[in-house]
């Protein structure tokens, strides 16, 4: 009868165990020197060798001819334990024997000396499944066991094991096996089984196994069932995976906000028999790698899955920001978790892709945050929804269109070469602006309408700790006069926070870049003064022209 590869190639000695040398070396030394504990607790993820090492240890402590801490596997004790004919070594499943009655029966039986071997060994797998009364019944015999008794407990969920149990055991933590070690073992097993396995395919299986040797051998067993050569394409077809190229292309469509192309590609993968959950899982894995690469470009390289080449990662990383990658990964994880309970998995996957491509269709808080982040990027890059100088001012009735005003009110204009000599241009008295009345400041050249976009553009120019102040109009707002930016704050505390030199310098640089000339910052506690009590009328072309002419009051022509 055919035997599964993970059972057929289960290690029989400590030296055969892959990737757990920090544990096997210790156990070999304890067996060789006779310094054995009465209770062991093996913890770790699935398929990393917990039960395997427990069985090896049960044979090693009873072996009649141990070899360097390893069992010989040829003596009557080793062969009897391995075949199950010696009842002094018993393996229990705590998931099906989790009641207090079963543990009490085990405790009563454990006091008797073994009949065929030197030590009576109980291997309790998935020990975290025991009930609380069962754990309490196990405590006493774990604390004061007979000399001939040994317990080996194994669990994948250490946090569910009571501290009173853990304190009575020697605890060994099994780590995930490295992909390189898994791939090397797979190629050895494939050679012994006459399976044609390529090196890239072995690496792909090692990545899919997620650190578990049993999972890797099961995948190899499944992919080799057709009898054909096991390569990357064979693995993708057998397991229903999309593949790195298809996953990268799908992510590229989402990065470029090309919803139609993303849906078309998903539909082609679905028609080709690809599993929707596997496709979203691969997409989430790529998003994770891109997020790690962007947030930890140096130290995060060791955390990457290694399934995508450097060129693909660099090209996609330039199109996606860290906030958007975080949102994409969160949405993919949430959708993948809901798929098992979905009435239509394909529809849910398509909705997920649509939200990935278009943040405007996502009404969640994460979607709103993504849209705000996109607007901040546009403001930072100088893009406006309505450019300030995109349209020229409307011309007066019956007149010619007025010229577009320069971006900054203080920009110098070239004078004609035949201008008169150095003299100050006279300005008629009736055309001079009236001086401000006492106790009432003149209306600013640009009111608070500029402030929301200006405050959003301060991100990156000022320390992050004060950015929330500028984005809260109840705490800070600003008014602009030529050369002076006045910040109106709500309290002395806010004024103190914003008057630090690094904050002021950042605001000054932003103001000079915005208004195109030298600027200084004033901080005042209070609210901006009203411009006459009534609402200010809408700005028209004549107002803009008058404001433009004020800059020439003090020009001296050479």
């Amino acid at each position: 009868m055919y035997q599964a590869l993970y059972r057929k190639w289960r290690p029989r000695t400590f030296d055969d165990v892959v990737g757990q040398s920090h544990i096997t070396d210790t156990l070999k030394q304890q067996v060789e020197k006779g310094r054995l504990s009465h209770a062991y607790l093996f913890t770790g993820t699935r398929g990393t060798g917990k039960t395997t090492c427990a069985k090896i240890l049960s044979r090693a402590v009873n072996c009649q001819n141990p070899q360097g801490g390893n069992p010989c596997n040829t003596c009557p004790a080793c062969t009897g334990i391995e075949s199950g004919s010696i009842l002094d070594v018993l393996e229990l499943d705590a998931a099906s024997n989790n009641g207090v009655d079963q543990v009490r029966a085990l405790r009563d039986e454990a006091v008797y000396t073994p009949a065929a071997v030197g030590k009576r060994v109980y291997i309790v797998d998935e020990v975290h499944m025991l009930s609380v009364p069962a754990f309490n019944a196990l405590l006493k015999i774990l604390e004061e066991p007979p000399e001939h008794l040994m317990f080996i407990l194994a669990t994948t969920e250490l946090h569910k094991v009571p501290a009173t149990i853990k304190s009575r055991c020697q605890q060994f933590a099994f780590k995930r096996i490295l992909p390189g070690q898994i791939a090397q073992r797979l190629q050895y097993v494939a050679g012994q089984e006459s399976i044609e396995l390529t090196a890239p395919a072995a690496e792909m299986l090692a990545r899919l196994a997620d650190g578990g040797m049993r999972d890797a051998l099961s995948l190899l067993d499944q992919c080799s069932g057709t009898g054909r050569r096991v390569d990357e394409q064979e693995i993708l077809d057998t397991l229903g995976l999309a593949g790195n190229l298809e996953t990268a292309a799908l992510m590229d469509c989402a990065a470029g906000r090309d919803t139609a192309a993303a849906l078309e590609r998903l539909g082609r993968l679905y028609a080709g028999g690809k599993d929707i959950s596997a496709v979203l899982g691969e997409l989430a894995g790529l998003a994770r790698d891109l997020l790690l690469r962007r947030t930890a470009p140096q130290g995060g390289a060791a955390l990457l899955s290694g399934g995508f080449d450097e060129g693909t990662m660099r090209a996609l990383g330039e199109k996606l920001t860290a906030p958007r990658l975080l949102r994409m990964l969160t949405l993919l994880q949430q959708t993948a978790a809901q798929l098992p309970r979905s009435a239509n998995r394909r529809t849910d996957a398509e909705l997920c892709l649509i939200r990935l491509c278009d943040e405007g269709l996502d009404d969640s808080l994460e979607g709103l945050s993504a849209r705000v982040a996109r607007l901040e990027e546009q403001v930072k890059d100088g893009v406006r929804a309505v450019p300030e100088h995109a349209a020229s001012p409307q011309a007066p009735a019956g007149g010619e269109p007025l010229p577009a005003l320069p971006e900054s009110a203080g920009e110098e204009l070239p004078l004609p070469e035949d201008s008169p000599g150095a003299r100050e241009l006279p300005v008629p008295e009736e055309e001079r602006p009236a001086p401000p009345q006492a106790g009432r400041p003149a209306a600013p050249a640009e009111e608070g309408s500029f402030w929301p976009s200006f405050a959003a553009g301060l991100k990156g120019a000022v320390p992050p700790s004060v950015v929330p102040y500028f984005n809260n109009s109840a705490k800070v707002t600003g008014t602009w006069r030529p050369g002076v930016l006045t910040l109106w704050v709500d309290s002395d505390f806010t004024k103190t926070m914003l008057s630090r030199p690094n904050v002021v310098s950042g605001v000054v640089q932003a103001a000079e870049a915005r208004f195109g000339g030298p600027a200084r910052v004033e901080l005042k506690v209070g609210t901006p003064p009203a411009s006459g009590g009534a609402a200010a009328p809408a700005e028209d072309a004549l107002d803009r022209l008058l404001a433009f002419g004020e800059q020439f009051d003090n020009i001296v022509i050479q």
Side-chain angles (χ1 to χ4, degrees):
M1 190 176 85
Y2 180 77
Q3 191 175 24
L5 290 181
Y6 79 88
R7 294 183 58 196
K8 183 177 181 180
W9 291 96
R10 183 191 292 271
R12 302 182 65 200
T13 64
F14 288 123
D15 294 336
D16 293 338
V17 179
V18 177
Q20 309 294 347
S21 58
H22 63 293
I23 295 175
T24 56
D25 291 345
T26 302
L27 294 178
K28 284 165 58 178
Q29 291 293 326
Q30 290 186 358
V31 172
E32 192 173 8
K33 297 180 179 179
R35 300 184 59 182
L36 295 167
S37 175
H38 66 280
Y40 293 89
L41 177 60
F42 293 164
T43 68
T45 57
R46 68 185 189 280
T48 53
K50 301 183 298 297
T51 306
T52 296
C53 286
K55 291 183 176 181
I56 296 174
L57 181 59
S58 67
R59 294 197 302 271
V61 298
N62 290 306
C63 181
Q64 299 172 3
N65 185 27
Q67 300 176 359
N70 287 308
C72 67
N73 294 319
T74 58
C75 66
C78 290
T79 56
I81 293 173
E82 198 167 17
S83 63
S85 59
I86 296 180
L87 302 180
D88 295 320
V89 176
L90 186 62
E91 182 177 356
L92 301 174
D93 178 20
S96 55
N97 297 279
N98 56 0
V100 65
D101 294 334
Q102 288 89 349
V103 175
R104 285 174 178 170
L106 180 149
R107 183 187 61 186
D108 295 339
E109 182 185 352
V111 297
Y112 298 106
T113 57
V117 291
K119 274 191 175 291
R120 182 183 293 272
V121 182
Y122 287 104
I123 301 174
V124 185
D125 203 4
E126 301 300 333
V127 70
H128 64 273
M129 299 293 290
L130 290 178
S131 62
V132 175
F135 272 124
N136 293 333
L138 192 62
L139 281 177
K140 185 61 177 178
I141 195 168
L142 273 180
E143 185 177 9
E144 299 177 357
E147 293 184 1
H148 61 266
L149 185 61
M150 174 185 289
F151 280 95
I152 305 177
L153 314 179
T155 179
T156 56
E157 301 184 34
L158 179 62
H159 60 282
K160 294 184 178 180
V161 180
T164 51
I165 296 291
K166 291 188 285 188
S167 64
R168 289 165 169 81
C169 303
Q170 283 193 11
Q171 183 176 332
F172 292 90
F174 286 71
K175 60 184 181 181
R176 295 182 186 272
I177 306 174
L178 298 178
Q181 296 173 325
I182 296 178
Q184 184 178 4
R185 179 68 174 178
L186 288 178
Q187 289 182 319
Y188 172 76
V189 172
Q192 297 297 315
E193 293 289 327
S194 300
I195 299 174
E196 190 177 358
L197 176 66
T198 64
E203 294 174 359
M204 177 179 288
L205 290 175
R207 292 195 303 269
L208 294 174
D210 194 24
M213 182 62 71
R214 183 174 63 239
D215 290 5
L217 290 172
S218 297
L219 291 174
L220 176 61
D221 204 356
Q222 179 180 352
C223 295
S224 62
T226 59
R228 295 190 294 265
R229 179 171 178 262
V230 180
D231 54 11
E232 291 179 289
Q233 189 59 45
E234 181 69 19
I235 295 173
L236 297 178
D237 294 339
T238 303
L239 302 180
L241 302 177
N244 295 343
L245 295 179
E246 289 289 347
T247 303
L250 194 58
M251 180 63 75
D252 186 64
C253 294
R257 297 182 171 88
D258 192 347
T259 306
L263 292 177
E264 187 273 335
R265 188 171 293 275
L266 179 64
R268 189 169 64 251
L269 292 174
Y270 182 81
K274 306 303 180 185
D275 183 67
I276 291 295
S277 299
V279 173
L280 293 185
E282 292 177 81
L283 204 58
L286 176 56
R288 169 193 174 273
D289 284 357
L290 291 172
L291 182 60
L292 289 177
R293 180 185 174 88
R294 178 168 286 277
T295 55
Q298 302 297 329
L303 303 176
L304 302 181
S305 63
F308 300 88
D309 60 272
E310 182 66 21
T312 301
M313 297 289 289
R314 186 185 303 110
L316 291 174
E318 293 174 354
K319 299 179 181 180
L320 295 167
T321 61
R324 190 178 179 200
L325 283 171
L326 183 61
R327 173 186 166 271
M328 293 175 73
L329 184 56
T330 302
L331 182 57
L332 286 168
Q333 293 288 91
Q334 292 175 349
T335 305
Q338 296 170 359
L339 280 183
R341 302 183 299 275
S342 172
N344 193 322
R345 295 155 60 88
R346 180 181 181 180
T347 301
D348 284 354
E350 289 172 342
L351 291 176
C352 175
L353 275 184
I354 292 173
R355 290 196 294 268
L356 290 180
C357 296
D358 189 355
E359 299 95 332
L361 299 178
D362 188 358
D363 57 356
S364 64
L365 293 178
E366 293 80 5
L368 177 60
S369 177
R371 295 198 293 274
V372 172
R374 186 178 178 186
L375 290 175
E376 290 177 347
E377 292 175 14
Q378 293 177 349
V379 171
K380 186 176 181 180
D381 295 338
V383 179
R384 302 292 190 274
V386 181
E388 294 179 1
H389 312 297
S392 61
Q394 297 180 357
E400 296 293 328
L402 294 175
L405 299 181
E407 182 173 353
S408 61
E411 182 178 354
E412 295 184 359
L413 299 178
L415 297 175
E417 297 180 356
D418 56 349
S419 299
R423 65 185 180 86
E424 184 175 355
L425 291 177
V427 180
E429 186 68 25
E430 61 273 16
E431 296 182 5
R432 293 184 180 273
Q437 299 180 6
R440 180 180 173 185
E446 188 173 355
E447 293 290 349
S449 59
F450 80 99
W451 179 251
S453 61
F454 180 81
L458 291 177
K459 184 178 180 181
V462 298
S465 59
V466 299
V467 169
Y469 288 92
F470 289 103
N471 291 332
N472 188 349
S473 59
K475 288 187 172 294
V476 184
T477 188
T479 57
W480 169 257
R481 302 174 187 274
V484 180
L485 175 63
T486 304
L487 301 181
W488 300 89
V489 298
D490 64 333
S491 63
D492 290 333
F493 176 78
T494 306
K495 181 178 179 180
T496 303
M497 293 293 295
L498 302 186
S499 61
R500 291 180 293 179
N502 56 344
V503 178
V504 174
S505 63
V507 176
V508 168
Q509 293 177 4
E512 291 176 348
R514 171 68 183 267
F515 300 106
R520 62 186 179 88
V521 174
E522 293 182 352
L523 282 90
K524 296 183 179 180
V525 179
T527 58
S531 57
E539 184 184 22
D540 59 10
L542 183 59
D543 292 334
R544 298 185 66 185
L545 185 60
L546 291 175
F548 175 63
E550 290 179 359
Q551 63 179 317
F552 300 105
D553 288 349
N554 298 322
I555 292 181
V556 178
I557 302 178
Q558 301 294 334

